[in-house]
Amino acid sequence: MTTAPARPDEKRPLGGSYDPARTTGGGLGAELDRLEAQAALSFPEELRILRELGLPTGGTVLELGAGPGAVTRRLRAALPADTALIAADIDGELLAHAAGPGVTLLVADGAELPLPDASVDFVLLRYVLQHVPDPVAVLAEVRRVLRPGGRVAVTEVDSALWGAAEPSYPELAGVHAKMAAAQRADGGDRSIGRRLPRLLRAAGFGQPVLRPFATTNDDHPTDAFAPQLGPQRLEPLVARGVLSLAELALAADRWNRFRSDPDAWVMLLGLTVAATAPAGRGPQETA
Ligand SMILES: C[S@@+](CC[C@H](N)C(=O)[O-])C[C@H]1O[C@@H](n2cnc3c(N)ncnc32)[C@H](O)[C@@H]1O
């Protein structure tokens, strides 16, 4: 629909606390691989939940914060050909990777969508709101573009409910706390999962429904979790001075122990919350 604008300032990420070049060691290329690996791990289960929560088989679906399209490609394959799919993102460079047949690209801030009122049937935001300084403003804009009765689904993490591992390494708690604090300092929130139903209500949505989903190494090789759990994810935090080299070395050692232990078990937990756009325009009309 539009072409990518130039980045005004390379040092300031467009997507709130999300900087694709500095999310994992190895830069942008490694981040594209990480998002792809993340979608490969859990999207089949997420899709089952999205269908249960109202993903339509017609009309218009908007994926907001689609990034390079790991989920866009999977959604396109899952939806009937006559369902319109719009992939929107504030970062046009990233979004260009989501281009493909049957996908309309839209470079836009989620808080200011260049879409008419009531023009969309379903909106998905996956791992986006944790990076947004004002999630209610984005959700209110989503509500504007949804038709009355349309559905929004938000998939997120919660750092305190990230999952479980055996063996576990309590000595890494400080590393994870620093990671969450760094995201908070950039305007994000890795504990947003627990807040989703209230954020949706504050934006005027009704009847939020929460569904957790789990991904384990009973179903995937342990190494498939490396892009999310391995030390590469922490390298940019060393470069920023958030973590020390000793902390990175500790995390690398524990990951290597974990992945070479044939009995090691891990479960990652995600949360999807869906809600309904009401007929009225103000949050006060939805009680
Ligand atoms: C962690 S990535 C997730 C990408 C994709 N949803 C996925 O699950 O693979 C977060 C995405 O949200 C986008 N984003 C952050 N803030 C945004 C905003 N205000 N409006 C639109 N997109 C935004 C970022 O540019 C980035 O592409």
Side-chain angles (χ1 to χ4, degrees):
M1 229 178 237
T2 58
T3 52
R7 283 169 187 259
D9 176 352
E10 283 294 321
K11 291 203 178 84
R12 285 171 67 214
L14 292 166
S17 69
Y18 180 73
D19 183 347
R22 293 178 190 81
T23 294
T24 190
L28 180 60
E31 174 60 356
L32 300 186
D33 291 346
R34 185 187 74 85
L35 293 175
E36 186 61 35
Q38 188 181 54
L41 272 180
S42 58
F43 195 69
E45 176 65 1
E46 293 173 54
L47 180 61
R48 192 189 62 71
I49 291 169
L50 291 176
R51 286 189 164 127
E52 180 205 333
L53 297 179
L55 181 69
T57 53
T60 298
V61 171
L62 168 65
E63 187 195 357
L64 180 52
V71 161
T72 316
R73 288 181 279 281
R74 289 167 169 82
L75 267 181
R76 184 62 281 171
L79 291 168
D82 62 353
T83 303
L85 178 59
I86 302 172
D89 202 284
I90 198 169
D91 185 334
E93 266 178 51
L94 209 52
L95 186 66
H97 295 270
V103 178
T104 300
L105 300 186
L106 181 62
V107 181
D109 183 340
E112 260 178 287
L113 292 169
L115 293 170
D117 292 2
S119 58
V120 171
D121 298 280
F122 190 94
V123 181
L124 171 64
L125 296 107
R126 182 178 185 269
Y127 302 139
V128 178
L129 289 186
Q130 63 172 282
H131 297 293
V132 172
D134 188 353
V136 173
V138 170
L139 290 174
E141 182 67 346
V142 165
R143 183 187 162 194
R144 180 187 68 75
V145 303
L146 272 172
R147 67 165 170 76
R151 303 276 281 167
V152 60
V154 182
T155 295
E156 272 304 345
V157 291
D158 188 298
S159 52
L161 306 169
W162 70 274
E166 186 60 49
S168 64
Y169 304 108
E171 61 273 33
L172 291 180
V175 169
H176 296 136
K178 286 183 182 179
M179 187 179 182
Q183 188 164 337
R184 212 164 34 246
D186 290 340
D189 180 3
R190 286 188 72 76
S191 300
I192 197 167
R194 70 192 66 182
R195 297 170 55 215
L196 292 176
R198 291 177 189 192
L199 291 172
L200 283 159
R201 283 193 193 281
F205 286 95
Q207 301 153 349
V209 173
L210 185 151
R211 294 281 181 275
F213 58 90
T215 313
T216 77
N217 65 341
D218 292 324
D219 301 320
H220 303 271
T222 301
D223 276 343
F225 293 79
Q228 321 306 329
L229 299 177
Q232 197 181 26
R233 188 81 167 78
L234 302 173
E235 286 170 15
L237 295 175
V238 176
R240 280 179 61 181
V242 172
L243 293 180
S244 67
L245 274 173
E247 287 170 315
L248 178 65
L250 180 72
D253 175 77
R254 297 306 185 269
W255 170 249
N256 285 329
R257 280 194 212 177
F258 188 83
R259 63 187 285 267
S260 52
D261 178 348
D263 296 322
W265 179 79
V266 64
M267 177 186 73
L268 294 185
L269 201 60
L271 304 172
T272 296
V273 181
T276 304
R281 292 196 66 81
Q284 65 282 3
E285 295 166 51
T286 65

